[in-house]
Amino acid sequence: EQLKEMSEAELYVRVAHCFEYYTEKKCETTHETFLARFHCGERGCSLCAIWLLERFFAEKEEVLAQLARPAVYRVILGTRSIGSPPEEKEHDIKQIYGQVRGMVTHLTDNGVLKDLVYGIRAHIQGEAMSVEIDMLAEYALTLEGELQEHFGRETGVKAYVARIPCADRREAQRAMSMLLAVPLVWDSLENYAAWRTVTKKMKLLQGKGKFYKVAGGGGAKKQPAAQSSCPICRTCQPVASNEFYPVATTAVRQVVSEITGESYWQRVDPGG
């Protein structure tokens, strides 16, 4: 409904039907077709965020395997006021995000926590904005207290730190995905639009220390051409058709690629 008010009819249709449709793509190597779940790509879409994060963690499997005892830490910072006019809102939100990223940089510079992957969540209500940092890092017995002390010094108010117990790295990655699937809780079109404008080029996740090159989940940069999304050959850039097929009513079958050994879905043509 908010997108309708923004006169973005095409985007409204995409978001309203996110993940309800398949798109059909053709492998350029074998000329076989496969179905991919349609995703809208809207910045605030939780379904797309989950899809992007799952893809991100799959691609960074080897790098993140360096975490021997992974843990997820939630750092809840204080609440800041933001302006009322749109341009002031955007300025203040941008400034807050910059300051939060600076706090994380100081965290690594000061040796409190050197190696981590983190994401930022926000809650905007009226002219007040609350911020939370979610971090995937190596477990340490004293880390919660050190994080609370560090962010308390940075903000001047008490920071609340909570550790989410994780049995292994995959459980930690799922916890991060669940948290960052909702990067913003918002109450008005103006607040969402301002946040969306400021964060449209930002990644959902950023890395520090030995994970400094680890970043992903949205943002303006596209995947490099070398990273094929084709489950049949993993080398080509598959070509998508302009047809959409409802997930609820489209008959599909599971096929295993003879090249990659991966399974994928194909549409069952009722006429053939």
Side-chain angles (χ1 to χ4, degrees):
E1 294 303 313
Q2 299 285 11
L3 289 170
K4 280 184 179 179
E5 291 186 28
M6 293 168 68
S7 300
E8 298 195 40
E10 181 181 349
L11 182 56
Y12 164 75
V13 172
R14 289 168 54 195
V15 173
H17 300 295
C18 189
F19 275 73
E20 291 185 5
Y21 288 92
Y22 290 119
T23 56
E24 194 166 53
K25 298 184 177 182
K26 184 172 72 173
C27 171
E28 291 292 271
T29 302
T30 65
H31 302 293
E32 290 286 318
T33 60
F34 65 94
L35 294 175
R37 208 68 174 264
F38 168 76
H39 55 279
C40 66
E42 167 62 9
R43 183 66 178 167
C45 177
S46 297
L47 291 171
C48 284
I50 292 172
W51 178 83
L52 286 164
L53 290 165
E54 286 180 349
R55 185 176 179 182
F56 164 79
F57 282 124
E59 291 176 351
K60 305 301 180 182
E61 184 89 19
E62 293 183 7
V63 179
L64 294 174
Q66 298 178 68
L67 290 171
R69 298 180 64 191
V72 172
Y73 294 89
R74 297 180 63 188
V75 182
I76 302 171
L77 304 177
T79 299
R80 290 272 303 274
S81 61
I82 56 176
S84 180
E87 61 275 8
E88 286 188 20
K89 283 186 186 293
E90 291 177 16
H91 173 270
D92 292 344
I93 292 172
K94 183 177 181 180
Q95 186 179 54
I96 290 171
Y97 268 78
Q99 290 171 343
V100 171
R101 289 196 298 272
M103 293 177 195
V104 178
T105 299
H106 298 160
L107 182 72
T108 58
D109 290 343
N110 297 336
V112 177
L113 181 58
K114 183 179 178 182
D115 308 310
L116 71 150
V117 177
Y118 76 97
I120 301 173
R121 302 176 69 210
H123 183 172
I124 303 178
Q125 184 169 3
E127 296 176 11
M129 178 174 175
S130 303
V131 179
E132 172 183 326
I133 306 173
D134 299 313
M135 299 185 294
L136 174 59
E138 199 77 58
Y139 169 75
L141 183 63
T142 61
L143 185 55
E144 287 178 60
E146 291 173 350
L147 290 174
Q148 188 172 38
E149 183 179 352
H150 169 80
F151 286 104
R153 287 198 307 267
E154 291 284 320
T155 62
V157 297
K158 185 176 181 179
Y160 294 88
V161 180
R163 180 175 64 87
I164 300 177
C166 301
D168 53 31
R169 179 170 49 84
R170 296 190 185 282
E171 190 173 318
Q173 290 172 185
R174 284 195 295 271
M176 286 289 285
S177 294
M178 285 188 289
L179 289 169
L180 293 169
V182 184
L184 175 73
V185 177
W186 51 283
D187 63 342
S188 69
L189 168 61
E190 292 77 13
N191 283 336
Y192 174 70
W195 172 86
R196 179 181 175 229
T197 299
V198 170
T199 63
K200 63 183 177 182
K201 293 184 179 181
M202 295 181 186
K203 299 291 186 180
L204 288 172
L205 290 169
Q206 298 283 346
K208 290 289 185 180
K210 63 186 177 184
F211 304 123
Y212 77 101
K213 289 186 178 180
V214 175
K221 294 182 179 179
K222 296 182 179 179
Q223 292 293 325
Q227 297 182 352
S228 172
S229 61
C230 179
I232 300 177
C233 71
R234 285 300 177 201
T235 57
C236 79
Q237 295 302 309
V239 177
S241 70
N242 293 321
E243 298 295 326
F244 294 89
Y245 303 93
V247 171
T249 58
T250 301
V252 299
R253 63 178 180 179
Q254 193 172 34
V255 182
V256 176
S257 169
E258 295 181 357
I259 300 175
T260 65
E262 296 183 35
S263 61
Y264 58 93
W265 296 103
Q266 275 191 339
R267 181 171 59 92
V268 177
D269 189 350

